Amino acid sequence: MTRFLPDEFRIPAIGAGVIVLAALLPLFDDGFYLAMAVNIVLYAALCTAWALFSGPTHYISLATAAFFGLGTYAVALGNELLPFPLLVALGAAIAAVLAGFVGAATLRISGVYFVIFTLGLAELVRQIVSWAQVKWSTRMGLYVFTDFTEAHIYWMLLALTAAVFLTGWLINRSRLGFAMQIIGNDEAVARHCGIDTARLKIILFMISGAFIGMAGAIVAPRYLYVAPPSAFNPTISFLVVIMALLGGTRWLWGPLVGVIPFTIVMEFVSANFPNDTSIVIGIVFLVIVYVLPDGVTGRLEQLLARMRRTSTASKAATVKEAA
Amino acid sequence: MEILVTGILLGGTYALIALGLTLQYGVARIMNLATGETLVAACFITFWLFASYQVSPLWGLVLVAPAAFAINWAIYMWLLKPLVDRAKNQGMLEVDSILATFGLLFLFQGLMLRGFGGAYFTYTYLAERFEIFGSPYALNRVVAFLAALLIAAALYLFLYRTRSGTAVRAVAVNPNSSNLVGIDVAATAALAFALGGALTACGGTLLSTFYTFNASMGVVFTLKALIIVIMGGVGDVRGATLAALILGITETAVASLIDPGLMLAATYALFMLVLLFRPQGIFGKQPT
Amino acid sequence: MSAALSVTTVRKSFGGLVAVNDLSFEVERGELYGLIGPNGSGKTTMLNLISGALQPDAGEIKLAGATISGLAAHRIARLGVARTFQLVRVLPSMDAERNVMAGAVFGHRSLWGAELHELARELLALVGLRGREHVPVVAMTYIDQKRVELARAIASDPQVLLLDEWLAGLNPSELAIGIELIERLSRQGRTIIMVEHVMDAIRTLCGRCLVMSSGRLIKEGGVAEVLSDPEVVRAYLGDDDA
Ligand SMILES: Nc1ncnc2c1ncn2[C@@H]1O[C@H](COP(=O)(O)OP(=O)(O)OP(=O)(O)O)[C@@H](O)[C@H]1O
Ligand SMILES: [Mg+2]
């Protein structure tokens, strides 16, 4: 993984090709399919960014909605004051700061505290934002007027997804990635190898949070009107966990395998059985735990390994017969 | 003074919920993130019994607690025990139980949304005034507090005066050596989990007499319970009780002095203090 | 010149149990020092204190004259203390080569790229695993896993190497190979502290050793003299009714 084999560039090349193809979509449709594609790309970015941290550490972060909402709010508040790209960067920065804070408070102690802290984080930030808004302004929400069309948002999200993938790919090839892999295997060994485990986890959580904040900033124009309850919707956190784990986090592209079908299914469920989305989410969580503990990609890997074993075994058998 | 009394009255109910969770996490080693849903379910059942059959919430306890015990026991045996058995270490069990109880959380929430919709519910029970130190309080809060006190006392007697109670405490301290002294750890864990569920449900029933509830508020209560448990020290019954009272008072103070919209912020502020100064809990020893 | 490692009245207790009780000793550069004692006498705890896995309640530990007690484990590792574990700990999702590489990137030595692969291959050959670089460690036997773990520890080029019963669980022929390997490391000039129950190995390898019992030092000195001491024999036979 540290050697530069041309083989290793095949996957990024394929990825780049897929992204270029995906970028052509708005030329063919700008209604239902584009809207669905925006959702898919949004969750692809969110889930892959989430898995950057939660994949190697196995810490279930539920902070997604908080980071996302902060990104959205950065745009909503600064829309008339600053250029959009700067606001996206600002959203990333604010989310990263919050991630650093949460990480510093909990990751030095234990993973359980981390989960608990993130569980109510979106709600906490929502309460504080609402309180501040009521105190310093009279309105509950903010209007976001921009010239962006759905296609623009789609392209920006696609670029963000590409950036997340590229970052993940670079991390995997770097010392940081190797360190995270060691931490995921055995944290005590990692420390005795000289790895500052708490610091690296915090850094990675900040990177992951920054991307999630950016995603929130990019989709802000889509909402037109931003109010705390919609911006800090905790369901986003859970959906991200589900999709990423459903796909599997062993590979960078694993979450994508969960995102595409799940977004489509959720679209269908919320259109036809709007009151039963919770039940569907609950069942998928249970399916992940009891049927697909390593996600779809993990299960595929197992099956492949088994097939390879039986095929070598049968080959060995035929060789024996021939002899 | 009023804040203090109101806070303590609220803390009594919190204590039951947190005692339930501390049994489930401290003894059965299951981080039950669906605990808030158990609570909300108990609220709804009590409401339904009261509205449809005029069963008083205090009698409702008699029905709700055994039902919750049975359901939680079944959940432990069928859903969670397999996870305990397959886990190679505590970390894996933690991740698995977190995800599995997330599943239960959404499943229960979805079922309650189906049954009762997303609206807020409340009913009138013992809403008379009751005077303590010359200030008026709602009688239902006082009754709920006293009932919580009784239940907590019963739990205390069970844990410290009976054989199975001693087994529960032993497993909380160290499951491996408990096994050596002839305690059936698996059965004790199931008992603790079921008992914990029953306590949480009692908390829900009592809460419903004075609190406006809806189908999706479970997570906030889960969070409160978790923070109380950590503040008190995992598996520590006295710690959880004290922490519950502290949380009740803090929330009431913040709600009445600053802004009711910042209750959760108050909870988090407490959590931060605990993480910074006593991550091992109020009565906990330094971890080794 | 200061000793490679010096331990001064170090104490560690777990609740009421004093696992290491005011222990002091010094290990010279290039020395192969034995740490022995009956089960539960506090040997592993002592290694945990040196490597920073545990923090001492009192006392001081110095590495080449600089205080390391109180530092986090990763800082101590970077200063040049490496260890193996009593129950072998390899990184299960990786192959042998990456397991060894893990020791040489973040610690006392910081390699990356071709150099790192080169080192890992070299060390695997040294511990007797030539050509097994890409075997997943989970598919390896216990002794081979121990070899991988040892290679990982020396990959950081440590100033002090801590071995916790590295020879335990080996059969007689493996034992001979293991002893030879440790001897070779020692001849390379490494400072090694080895915790061991295999007395033959201590006799063959170590110049000096320290005997612990119930957390206390009961004897320190030349191996032959220490092992024939009546008090040491008594501690091992376990009739210390005191
Ligand atoms: N983390 C810990 N918490 C509590 N007690 C501990 C801990 N680690 C060790 N002990 C206790 O400290 C004492 C010394 O243990 P230690 O593992 O250091 O012994 P040892 O000499 O390495 O024994 P062995 O030869 O069996 O490996 C034992 O009684 C053990 O139970
Ligand atoms: Mg030992």
Side-chain angles (χ1 to χ4, degrees):
Chain A
M1 99 163 230
T2 47
R3 277 166 301 185
F4 275 73
L5 296 173
D7 244 20
E8 289 189 83
F9 288 96
R10 208 161 58 201
I11 289 186
I14 294 172
V18 169
I19 284 178
V20 169
L21 278 181
L24 299 177
L25 182 117
L27 304 182
F28 301 101
D29 182 271
D30 57 2
F32 175 76
Y33 289 103
L34 180 60
M36 180 167 296
V38 168
N39 273 338
I40 290 180
V41 179
L42 170 63
Y43 277 102
L46 291 176
C47 294
T48 314
W50 180 87
L52 284 184
F53 171 76
S54 293
T57 57
H58 305 298
Y59 289 155
I60 311 288
S61 161
L62 293 168
T64 310
F67 300 152
F68 185 85
L70 284 174
T72 308
Y73 250 83
V75 171
L77 278 175
N79 195 33
E80 256 118 64
L81 310 170
L82 294 168
F84 189 73
L86 211 58
L87 291 174
V88 174
L90 194 66
I94 298 172
V97 168
L98 181 64
F101 179 74
V102 173
T106 59
L107 288 175
R108 288 178 190 284
I109 309 171
S110 111
V112 180
Y113 293 174
F114 172 79
V115 180
I116 296 171
F117 204 100
T118 62
L119 177 64
L121 192 65
E123 180 65 15
L124 171 72
V125 179
R126 185 190 70 74
Q127 280 195 0
I128 293 175
V129 169
S130 314
W131 177 74
Q133 226 166 8
V134 170
K135 204 163 162 106
W136 285 299
S137 107
T138 44
R139 289 170 307 161
M140 250 335 264
L142 297 155
Y143 288 95
V144 188
F145 294 121
T146 58
D147 301 330
F148 293 125
T149 64
E150 188 90 335
H152 290 129
I153 294 174
Y154 175 73
W155 282 319
M156 287 191 283
L157 285 174
L158 207 56
L160 179 69
T161 310
V164 176
F165 269 90
L166 186 66
T167 308
W169 185 72
L170 289 173
I171 288 177
N172 282 345
R173 305 166 51 81
S174 71
R175 290 168 196 235
L176 175 60
F178 189 32
M180 291 316 293
Q181 209 189 343
I182 299 168
I183 293 173
N185 268 274
D186 189 327
E187 202 164 330
V189 169
R191 278 195 290 269
H192 288 297
C193 286
I195 297 172
D196 187 346
T197 53
R199 193 170 138 253
L200 291 195
K201 281 188 261 183
I202 294 171
I203 290 176
L204 205 61
F205 191 48
M206 290 174 74
I207 295 175
S208 160
F211 279 121
I212 294 170
M214 276 194 222
I218 291 174
V219 295
R222 220 183 168 207
Y223 294 132
L224 300 176
Y225 183 74
V226 174
S230 60
F232 298 99
N233 174 7
T235 315
I236 295 178
S237 306
F238 288 99
L239 288 177
V240 165
V241 175
I242 284 205
M243 294 188 210
L245 293 180
L246 186 64
T249 57
R250 300 259 285 274
W251 281 285
L252 194 54
W253 49 271
L256 203 56
V257 177
V259 167
I260 296 172
F262 195 84
T263 319
I264 295 170
V265 168
M266 275 318 266
E267 196 97 349
F268 174 78
V269 171
S270 57
N272 295 294
F273 310 97
N275 296 324
D276 292 331
T277 47
S278 294
I279 296 184
V280 174
I281 293 177
I283 290 172
V284 178
F285 261 122
L286 294 175
V287 166
I288 290 173
V289 177
Y290 294 99
V291 187
L292 295 168
D294 292 316
V296 173
T297 52
R299 177 46 59 93
L300 283 179
E301 189 189 16
Q302 264 178 12
L303 288 179
L304 273 178
R306 196 171 309 157
M307 263 158 54
R308 221 173 286 142
R309 226 174 304 140
T310 46
S311 79
T312 45
S314 63
K315 236 181 254 159
T318 45
V319 169
K320 233 180 241 165
E321 258 165 46
Chain B
M1 192 63 209
E2 270 184 58
I3 291 172
L4 208 61
V5 176
T6 313
I8 290 175
L9 292 180
L10 181 62
T13 313
Y14 283 179
L16 280 193
I17 305 165
L19 287 177
L21 190 67
T22 208
L23 281 181
Q24 295 188 329
Y25 185 48
V27 183
R29 316 272 151 175
I30 299 287
M31 169 70 91
N32 183 5
L33 295 175
T35 203
E37 273 56 40
T38 309
L39 172 97
V40 178
C43 289
F44 274 112
I45 291 171
T46 314
F47 167 77
W48 174 69
L49 287 172
F50 184 72
S52 317
Y53 303 98
Q54 286 78 48
V55 179
S56 124
L58 291 180
W59 282 109
L61 277 180
V62 179
L63 292 172
V64 168
F69 185 93
I71 294 173
N72 277 276
W73 190 82
I75 288 177
Y76 184 81
M77 289 317 267
W78 286 332
L79 286 178
L80 302 174
K81 182 118 191 316
L83 299 181
V84 176
D85 293 340
R86 88 175 184 200
K88 293 198 197 82
N89 55 48
Q90 182 63 23
M92 274 179 72
L93 177 59
E94 235 143 46
V95 174
D96 275 350
S97 59
I98 285 170
L99 293 177
T101 54
F102 273 159
L104 294 175
L105 183 168
F106 278 100
L107 207 55
F108 290 157
Q109 196 183 70
L111 292 174
M112 285 187 287
L113 280 170
R114 272 205 136 199
F116 296 92
Y120 280 89
F121 283 77
T122 177
Y123 59 96
T124 322
Y125 172 72
L126 295 182
E128 297 97 80
R129 283 158 48 112
F130 184 83
E131 292 210 354
I132 305 173
F133 303 121
S135 311
Y137 300 93
L139 181 58
N140 47 27
R141 285 185 182 247
V142 179
V143 170
F145 177 75
L146 292 176
L149 213 61
L150 270 178
I151 295 170
L155 175 74
Y156 195 83
L157 282 181
F158 166 74
L159 287 179
Y160 286 86
R161 292 279 180 275
T162 66
R163 265 187 75 85
S164 357
T166 311
V168 168
R169 284 187 298 128
V171 174
V173 174
N174 189 338
N176 296 330
S177 39
S178 304
N179 225 337
L180 297 179
V181 295
I183 293 172
D184 184 345
V185 173
T188 308
L191 171 73
F193 192 86
L195 197 60
L199 282 172
T200 305
C202 289
T205 296
L206 296 177
L207 188 76
S208 72
T209 61
F210 62 87
Y211 201 93
T212 310
F213 52 93
N214 83 344
S216 42
M217 72 170 193
V219 176
V220 174
F221 277 89
T222 303
L223 193 73
K224 287 179 189 179
L226 286 167
I227 290 173
I228 293 170
V229 166
I230 288 176
M231 218 168 28
V234 174
D236 184 338
V237 173
R238 289 171 313 152
T241 315
L242 181 62
L245 295 180
I246 294 176
L247 184 70
I249 294 169
T250 313
E251 278 191 350
T252 314
V254 169
S256 51
L257 299 179
I258 309 176
D259 189 317
L262 287 178
M263 276 198 359
L264 193 69
T267 313
Y268 262 88
L270 269 184
F271 190 26
M272 288 296 302
L273 289 177
V274 171
L275 287 181
L276 287 177
F277 299 108
R278 290 204 72 82
Q280 71 278 26
I282 300 175
F283 295 126
K285 298 200 185 68
Q286 287 292 334
T288 48
Chain C
M1 269 237 313
S2 45
L5 189 86
S6 82
V7 173
T8 321
T9 55
V10 162
R11 167 189 283 266
K12 178 74 188 176
S13 41
F14 299 112
L17 175 93
V18 186
V20 171
N21 197 344
D22 294 342
L23 209 65
S24 304
F25 61 92
E26 286 201 340
V27 180
E28 298 304 325
R29 271 165 228 262
E31 190 176 6
L32 180 42
Y33 190 83
L35 189 54
I36 60 178
N39 288 112
S41 54
K43 307 179 295 291
T44 299
T45 304
M46 190 61 235
L47 294 193
N48 283 338
L49 291 169
I50 298 173
S51 63
L54 294 173
Q55 303 290 340
D57 298 337
E60 195 175 37
I61 302 172
K62 287 183 171 174
L63 180 71
T67 304
I68 55 168
S69 43
L71 296 183
H74 68 269
R75 305 275 306 275
I76 295 177
R78 285 182 198 171
L79 290 172
V81 175
R83 68 174 295 179
T84 64
F85 295 85
Q86 184 165 355
L87 296 172
V88 63
R89 286 176 98 149
V90 286
L91 305 167
S93 82
M94 304 182 191
D95 61 16
E97 184 183 44
R98 285 175 73 76
N99 260 274
V100 178
M101 281 160 56
V105 182
F106 312 97
H108 191 222
R109 178 142 64 184
S110 176
L111 302 180
W112 193 243
E115 242 182 325
L116 180 62
H117 286 270
E118 185 57 35
L119 176 77
R121 255 194 305 277
E122 233 169 67
L123 292 177
L124 282 170
L126 176 74
V127 298
L129 293 173
R130 188 189 302 281
R132 312 268 310 272
E133 289 86 5
H134 297 298
V135 179
V137 281
V138 283
M140 289 184 148
T141 58
Y142 186 67
I143 167 146
D144 286 349
Q145 292 190 352
K146 287 203 137 188
R147 288 175 153 142
V148 169
E149 202 191 24
L150 180 63
R152 179 179 73 212
I154 49 183
S156 65
D157 190 22
Q159 294 193 48
V160 172
L161 174 63
L162 311 174
L163 301 179
D164 197 352
E165 300 194 25
W166 193 78
L167 295 168
L170 306 190
N171 66 35
S173 64
E174 290 168 346
L175 193 61
I177 300 171
I179 289 178
E180 199 189 295
L181 181 56
I182 295 178
E183 195 170 15
R184 184 153 6 126
L185 293 179
S186 174
R187 269 204 309 271
Q188 290 174 352
R190 295 195 180 280
T191 311
I192 302 174
I193 300 178
M194 60 184 288
V195 166
E196 202 49 74
H197 279 301
V198 184
M199 284 310 139
D200 284 343
I202 296 286
R203 263 189 212 103
T204 322
L205 291 169
C206 300
R208 289 192 308 147
C209 69
L210 180 158
V211 187
M212 288 179 79
S213 178
S214 312
R216 287 176 193 283
L217 184 161
I218 57 170
K219 190 80 191 170
E220 196 207 8
V223 166
E225 172 201 350
V226 165
L227 291 184
S228 56
D229 187 274
E231 202 182 343
V232 172
V233 175
R234 208 165 41 240
Y236 262 95
L237 293 179
D239 61 2
D240 49 355
D241 300 290

